[in-house]
Amino acid sequence: MSTVIFSTRMPVLFLGHGSPMNAIEDSSYRRAWQDLGAQFGLRWAKPQLILCISAHWITQGWWLTGMDKPKTIHDFGGFPAELFAQQYPAPGSPTLAQEIKDLMHETPVHLDNDWGLDHGTWTVLKHLYPEANIPVVQFSIDYKQPLSYHFELAKSLQALRKKGVLIIGSGNIVHNLRAVDFSKINEVGYGYEWAHEARAYVNQAIRTENFKALMKLEAAPSAMKMAVPTPDHYIPLLYILGL
């Protein structure tokens, strides 16, 4: 793995994974991920490995999946049997997991052999890379750390991009389940006014590279407090911005 050198860096992605049903339903989100996967094949070399920071692996401390064959985790309830039957049998990479651990030597990172690929990872990869033939490693989120720590920690992963590693943050900028109108969840363009305002605020901060504003939610507009009542789905975005 460490001998593979690319002339250009791999891109980084932040994906709003939304409902687990995107794994099996035809939706604008599913089609967008399929199109994105096709574009990758035209613009970049096939990734040697995918490193995914998922909103659904919250831990104390940091962990990397270190097994050869990560299981497909169905970490949800109340959905149809078809969704629970889905599998994403991508291999893992203990060697690269150890390499990433060594790369982040200033932060204690542990290897895990129990977790696997949760739905923040496999429901999007299923459409980006349906063959499931690219090794996947998941990186957990230490929930007790401030937002700025995640942003800075991501910088230590930068070298992986020159080694063919595609780094994905999977979460959602707007994630307030108590406010969702599930009858309209797949309507393109639908959303509460505060949700549109929060999206515009984040987009503007990204365009102007005002990343500090995105790490100070206490000073953000009230729309952001509605969009991000808890930071679990928001934190993966900060890793991608740090990269």
Side-chain angles (χ1 to χ4, degrees):
M1 179 63 208
S2 58
T3 60
V4 179
I5 304 296
F6 286 80
S7 59
T8 57
R9 295 183 303 170
M10 291 295 289
V12 292
L13 296 177
F14 174 73
L15 301 175
H17 60 249
S19 167
M21 289 298 289
N22 287 321
I24 59 174
E25 287 185 336
D26 181 31
S27 68
S28 60
Y29 312 110
R30 173 179 177 169
R31 292 192 294 272
W33 298 332
Q34 291 170 334
D35 290 344
L36 184 59
Q39 292 174 30
F40 261 72
L42 297 174
R43 298 181 61 185
W44 288 281
K46 180 179 177 181
Q48 300 298 296
L49 180 129
I50 297 169
L51 175 65
C52 189
I53 300 103
S54 166
H56 291 278
W57 195 16
I58 303 298
T59 56
Q60 291 187 0
W62 277 277
W63 297 80
L64 288 160
T65 54
M67 68 287 288
D68 285 307
K69 297 180 179 180
K71 61 187 176 184
T72 302
I73 303 174
H74 302 90
D75 50 331
F76 40 70
F79 291 94
E82 180 186 359
L83 185 58
F84 286 91
Q86 298 295 306
Q87 295 291 317
Y88 191 76
S93 179
T95 300
L96 188 60
Q98 181 62 51
E99 185 174 330
I100 296 171
K101 181 179 183 297
D102 295 341
L103 192 65
M104 305 172 73
H105 59 88
E106 294 185 2
T107 299
V109 178
H110 312 281
L111 298 183
D112 173 89
N113 290 300
D114 297 320
W115 188 247
L117 306 181
D118 60 51
H119 82 267
T121 294
W122 68 263
T123 61
V124 293
L125 291 185
K126 175 179 171 63
H127 303 303
L128 280 171
Y129 295 104
E131 299 87 357
N133 58 1
I134 300 173
V136 180
V137 170
Q138 264 200 220
F139 184 43
S140 77
I141 294 171
D142 184 347
Y143 207 47
K144 71 179 185 297
Q145 299 296 336
L147 298 183
S148 58
Y149 199 106
H150 298 283
F151 178 85
E152 294 298 329
L153 180 62
K155 296 177 182 179
S156 63
L157 301 172
Q158 194 69 259
L160 296 173
R161 298 175 63 190
K162 294 183 179 180
K163 298 181 179 182
V165 178
L166 173 61
I167 303 176
I168 297 175
S170 178
N172 284 103
I173 293 171
V174 177
H175 190 263
N176 189 330
L177 294 182
R178 291 186 177 184
V180 174
D181 182 346
F182 286 94
S183 68
K184 298 181 179 180
I185 197 167
N186 286 323
E187 287 189 21
V188 176
Y190 168 74
Y192 296 108
E193 184 176 339
W194 55 262
H196 287 292
E197 183 182 337
R199 182 180 66 175
Y201 177 82
V202 171
N203 286 351
Q204 178 64 12
I206 292 174
R207 290 191 195 98
T208 59
E209 298 188 8
N210 185 13
F211 301 148
K212 288 185 178 180
L214 297 179
M215 290 179 274
K216 296 181 178 180
L217 293 181
E218 68 281 357
S222 59
M224 284 296 291
K225 295 177 176 62
M226 284 293 293
V228 189
T230 58
D232 43 289
H233 278 67
Y234 183 77
I235 289 172
L237 171 65
L238 300 179
Y239 278 88
I240 300 309
L241 295 181
L243 284 158

